[in-house]
């Protein structure tokens, strides 16, 4: 199993789960530094390429999409994580998380946020 390092994020209510994947030395860029610095435009540009083959990058790109009102694209990316092999992700606190669990949690939070927004209308 492949391991990536994750950091806690607060991009939106959807992203209260640790899911910012740090570059793990596997030849792809997960834009960890840019996201931690709040430079989401630059992070998105970097992630668009690496998300094609890197699950951690895909999770990060999904968070950027969701935080910028592109929930549909975020959901597509998170569902694609679920179709790949489940990989181990290491949190900043040292916890090992399943890529499938992270994607499922984020999808669930997106659904909750959507339900809350509908209720407010």
């Amino acid at each position: 199993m492949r391991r990536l390092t994750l950091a806690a994020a607060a991009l939106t209510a959807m992203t209260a789960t640790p899911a910012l994947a740090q570059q793990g030395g596997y030849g792809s860029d997960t834009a960890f530094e840019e996201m931690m610095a709040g430079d989401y435009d630059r992070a998105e540009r970097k992630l668009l390429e690496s998300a094609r083959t890197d699950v951690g990058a895909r999770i990060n790109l999904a968070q950027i999409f969701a935080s910028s009102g592109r929930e549909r694209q975020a959901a597509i990316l998170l569902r694609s994580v679920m179709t790949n092999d489940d990989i181990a992700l290491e949190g900043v606190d040292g916890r090992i998380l399943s890529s499938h669990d992270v994607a499922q949690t984020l999808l669930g939070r997106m659904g909750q946020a959507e339900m809350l927004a509908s209720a407010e209308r």
Side-chain angles (χ1 to χ4, degrees):
M1 276 193 177
R2 193 165 141 202
R3 291 174 58 171
L4 300 171
T5 303
L6 302 178
L11 296 175
T12 66
M14 167 237 151
T15 58
T17 295
L20 287 182
Q22 182 177 353
Q23 186 170 342
Y26 295 97
S28 66
D29 189 347
T30 56
F32 173 80
E33 292 174 8
E34 291 82 358
M35 291 181 77
M36 292 306 293
D39 190 351
Y40 302 113
D41 291 333
R42 187 166 180 221
E44 181 176 343
R45 287 191 301 273
K46 289 179 103 173
L47 291 169
L48 285 171
E49 181 65 30
S50 57
R52 295 176 191 195
T53 58
D54 186 276
V55 171
R58 211 170 303 150
I59 289 171
N60 286 351
L61 187 57
Q63 290 186 84
I64 290 171
F65 283 170
S67 69
S68 60
R70 297 175 282 174
E71 290 85 3
R72 176 177 246 177
Q73 292 97 322
I76 290 168
L77 286 173
L78 293 170
R79 286 187 192 104
S80 76
V81 169
M82 301 295 292
T83 65
N84 287 295
D85 290 339
D86 193 14
I87 64 167
L89 304 172
E90 182 178 353
V92 174
D93 61 1
R95 287 187 308 141
I96 303 299
L97 306 168
S98 150
S99 61
H100 287 183
D101 289 348
V102 171
Q104 191 67 34
T105 298
L106 294 174
L107 281 166
R109 294 212 174 143
M110 284 176 55
Q112 290 172 358
E114 193 174 300
M115 286 176 15
L116 288 173
S118 294
E120 291 176 357
R121 290 183 196 148

